[in-house]
Amino acid sequence: MRRTSLAIAVVSACCFGFSGPMAKFLGAAGFSPLESVWVRMAGSAVLLLGSLALLRPRALRIPRSRLGLVAAYALVAIAGVQALFFVAITRIPVGVALLIEFTSPVLVVAWVRLVRKKRPGRAAYLGALITVIGLAVVVEVWQGMRLDLLGLLAAIAATAGCAGYFLLSDGFGDEMDPLGLIAWGFAGAAVALVPISRPWDIPWSLLGGTATTGGTTLPVGLAAAWLIVVATVTAYITGVTAVRRLSAAVGSTVASLEIIAGALIAWVLLGEALGPFQIIGGAVVIAGALLAQSAARGVSRTTVDSSDQRADSPAPSAELSRSLTSTATASGSDA
């Protein structure tokens, strides 16, 4: 079960890795970043809401007690992260923005320590630290950091939203179908982004053409469809599933593999070859993710000892999920 859950998290990271390359094709065709974000959110909402309405309508039910949480998920965890990241990369280097955003595991651990009053252990701290160091090597941050204040603040806010994505996903328990949560999240994000994306001004006719970047030519419509179906719908479904199985702390750490996946996909599609620092940094990131995973495994064994019924359940409850959130924190403190 644990290996399957980790594999789902890796699949999610790989799917998210297509976001950058597909967005590059849309940009080459003439779409602005915010227009691309809105196409991504609106298209994903229509696809998932329509499918669930026909095949699994019960998944779209939202408990009244969770309406506020769903709204926060749409605004913070989806719309906020997407929009703020694109604002950031217009003012600071993309690599620096990615590095800042993917320090979210550190914020997750901090939240667990300060708000949930769980004492982080050495494994959690070390896993988060190794991940950040690996990401710094991947993006070669030492090449220069000319940080614009607004860009820096946007990147930091995107980081907080990214951490919120994992923590909010972890907090729903079994009260709401994860597919319904994602579908309403996309819809809410699309609505929230209307004033700044201005969909009525989007050059929709460009979807019928082609775009070339990095020596590769793709139909624009195909790039948009891939961005929606693979890099968004599939990525978020597998991501939320992984968080519910692994906990927020572990899921957020494994998700940092998106940078590695994105680099590999860009190498294949765009001819952007990986350098030695990217390869070394990728290995370090994987090491940090595995360390966090081992911390989770230690606490999950403790949970099994204290509650056989919970261990036998195929889908962890909200309480068990919160217990596993402290996973990356508790095992090290006992050592």
Side-chain angles (χ1 to χ4, degrees):
M1 180 68 72
R2 183 65 56 179
R3 291 180 179 178
T4 300
S5 300
L6 183 58
I8 293 172
V10 173
V11 168
S12 175
C14 292
C15 290
F16 274 121
F18 279 101
S19 300
M22 292 302 106
K24 278 194 173 184
F25 283 105
L26 292 183
F31 288 87
S32 72
L34 287 176
E35 288 172 344
S36 298
V37 169
W38 195 87
V39 169
R40 182 184 190 185
M41 296 295 97
S44 299
V46 170
L47 175 61
L48 198 50
L49 284 173
S51 299
L52 291 177
L54 292 174
L55 304 175
R56 197 172 174 180
R58 290 185 178 181
L60 296 177
R61 295 178 180 176
I62 305 176
R64 289 186 179 181
S65 61
R66 294 301 186 190
L67 286 173
L69 197 57
V70 172
Y73 181 84
L75 292 174
V76 176
I78 299 183
V81 172
Q82 296 290 329
L84 288 166
F85 178 73
F86 278 105
V87 170
I89 64 175
T90 63
R91 307 185 72 93
I92 64 176
V94 174
V96 175
L98 282 172
L99 172 62
I100 295 172
E101 181 177 351
F102 277 87
T103 57
S104 58
V106 178
L107 296 183
V108 171
V109 171
W111 178 274
V112 171
R113 174 65 182 92
L114 298 175
V115 178
R116 296 185 179 176
K117 306 300 182 182
K118 301 293 184 179
R119 182 181 176 185
R122 287 192 295 270
Y125 281 136
L126 187 57
L129 178 61
I130 289 175
T131 299
V132 172
I133 292 173
L135 291 174
V137 176
V138 168
V139 301
E140 297 184 63
V141 69
W142 57 84
Q143 293 290 341
M145 295 180 62
R146 294 175 295 176
L147 295 182
D148 173 86
L149 179 59
L150 179 58
L152 176 60
L153 292 176
I156 293 173
T159 302
C162 190
Y165 159 70
F166 294 107
L167 291 166
L168 287 169
S169 297
D170 190 49
F172 279 91
D174 296 326
E175 296 178 82
M176 187 172 178
D177 191 298
L179 295 182
L181 170 62
I182 298 167
W184 289 120
F186 289 155
V191 172
L193 291 171
V194 164
I196 58 176
S197 296
R198 302 174 61 86
W200 51 87
D201 290 334
I202 293 178
W204 297 104
S205 61
L206 295 177
L207 292 174
T210 60
T212 302
T213 182
T216 301
T217 300
L218 285 181
V220 180
L222 175 62
W226 196 271
L227 182 66
I228 291 168
V229 176
V230 176
T232 309
V233 174
T234 302
Y236 272 98
I237 288 175
T238 53
V240 170
T241 301
V243 167
R244 287 165 65 92
R245 288 169 174 255
L246 292 170
S247 85
V250 179
S252 60
T253 302
V254 177
S256 63
L257 294 173
E258 176 189 338
I259 291 184
I260 310 302
L264 288 172
I265 294 168
W267 177 37
V268 173
L269 289 181
L270 308 176
E272 297 178 356
L274 292 172
F277 289 113
Q278 282 71 46
I279 296 173
I280 295 171
V284 174
V285 169
I286 293 173
L290 292 178
L291 180 58
Q293 170 67 9
S294 67
R297 190 179 300 115
V299 172
S300 63
R301 282 198 294 265
T302 303
T303 305
V304 169
D305 292 338
S306 63
S307 176
D308 292 335
Q309 286 184 332
R310 289 182 185 274
D312 292 334
S313 175
S317 66
E319 182 178 352
L320 177 58
S321 186
R322 292 188 190 97
S323 174
L324 288 177
T325 300
S326 63
T327 294
T329 67
S331 63
S333 62
D334 296 332

